């Protein structure tokens, strides 16, 4: 169950930055709103890292999302107008790939914030396979978003509008839910094979 501490983390990590952006965008200053949201995100992220000595999942996700929004908004003013979903997917994939390569997978932070670190046995957390498993999940999501972006980009101008709408639908929430289930199944199997997680 999500407790008070998790709700506070969610509010400060996600709610405040997106609230800042939403207010600024609502009064006609989306670019400035993103600048302020980015600054707030990194301040909260830095505070959490110093206070807890680890990446905070909520503020980490918010930082990635505002940077993606920032890049997408900038690109929309240039030659990529009308290709926002593909651009979002490619930027998210690239961001997740960077986090995985830096060995600070966002999904580990999110899981620890939502479930609390104590949910995962001490023996598992002390094992190198703990972080490695989360990095593999992170890489899977990065690959998914990069593939989605590539498919969407290749579909623009080569596919009828009704078919393109179908591609958007299939690669939206259905794929997201499927990937969530697959991620949970994969990491449990991975740790089971390392004899670190009892079924």
């Amino acid at each position: 169950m999500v407790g008070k501490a998790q709700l506070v983390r969610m509010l400060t990590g996600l709610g405040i930055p997106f609230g800042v952006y939403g207010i600024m965008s609502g009064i006609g200053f989306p670019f400035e709103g993103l600048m302020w949201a980015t600054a707030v995100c990194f301040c909260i992220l830095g505070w959490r890292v110093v206070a807890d000595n680890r990446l905070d999942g909520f503020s980490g996700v918010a930082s990635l999302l505002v940077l993606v929004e920032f890049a997408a908004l900038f690109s929309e003013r240039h030659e990529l107008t009308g290709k926002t979903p593909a651009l979002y997917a490619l930027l998210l994939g690239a961001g997740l790939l960077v986090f995985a390569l830096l060995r600070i997978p966002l999904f580990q932070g999110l899981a620890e914030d939502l479930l609390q670190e104590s949910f995962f046995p001490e023996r598992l957390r002390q094992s190198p396979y703990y972080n490695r498993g989360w990095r593999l999940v992170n890489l899977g999501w990065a690959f998914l978003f990069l593939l989605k972006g590539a498919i969407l980009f290749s579909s623009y101008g080569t596919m009828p509008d009704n078919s393109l709408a179908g591609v958007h639908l299939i690669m939206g929430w259905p794929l997201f839910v499927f990937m969530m289930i697959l991620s949970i199944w994969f990491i449990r199997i991975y740790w089971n094979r390392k004899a670190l997680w009892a079924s």
Side-chain angles (χ1 to χ4, degrees):
M1 180 180 290
V2 178
K4 182 179 179 181
Q6 290 96 319
L7 290 175
V8 170
R9 283 181 178 275
M10 192 181 300
L11 175 63
T12 56
L14 288 172
I16 294 176
F18 287 117
V20 169
Y21 172 60
I23 292 170
M24 294 291 288
S25 181
I27 59 177
F29 299 100
F31 196 78
E32 292 81 356
L34 278 174
M35 291 179 65
W36 278 105
T38 303
V40 169
C41 273
F42 280 100
C43 285
I44 295 172
L45 184 62
W47 168 47
R48 291 295 188 189
V49 168
V50 170
D52 300 337
N53 198 30
R54 70 173 181 84
L55 177 71
D56 176 69
F58 295 120
S59 53
V61 168
S63 300
L64 175 60
L65 291 177
V66 294
L67 287 175
V68 167
E69 186 75 28
F70 204 107
L73 184 63
F74 179 81
S75 299
E76 281 180 3
R77 297 183 176 184
H78 297 80
E79 71 278 3
L80 293 176
T81 303
K83 299 181 179 179
T84 303
L87 181 63
Y88 266 66
L90 289 172
L91 291 171
L92 278 173
L96 288 171
L97 181 61
V98 168
F99 273 103
L101 294 177
L102 291 175
R103 301 192 174 196
I104 45 175
L106 283 180
F107 290 94
Q108 178 180 337
L110 276 175
E112 290 173 353
D113 285 339
L114 286 169
L115 301 173
Q116 297 185 336
E117 275 190 88
S118 58
F119 176 83
F120 302 100
E122 180 70 19
R123 179 167 167 263
L124 171 62
R125 285 187 282 119
Q126 294 301 321
S127 167
Y129 296 110
Y130 178 64
N131 181 264
R132 193 174 300 170
W134 287 120
R135 292 204 315 270
L136 290 172
V137 170
N138 223 100
L139 284 171
W141 280 87
F143 175 75
L144 171 74
F145 280 114
L146 290 172
L147 180 63
K148 176 180 176 179
I151 291 173
L152 290 177
F153 258 117
S154 65
S155 301
Y156 292 126
T158 63
M159 188 177 290
D161 289 344
N162 57 340
S163 299
L164 186 58
V167 171
H168 276 283
L169 178 63
I170 293 170
M171 302 196 76
W173 280 106
L175 186 61
F176 181 84
V177 172
F178 170 76
M179 194 63 183
M180 285 289 292
I181 295 170
L182 183 63
S183 298
I184 295 169
W185 173 83
F186 167 79
I187 202 163
R188 286 178 64 91
I189 293 295
Y190 179 79
W191 288 335
N192 271 332
R193 290 184 176 178
K194 305 300 181 182
L196 294 167
W197 184 276
S199 299

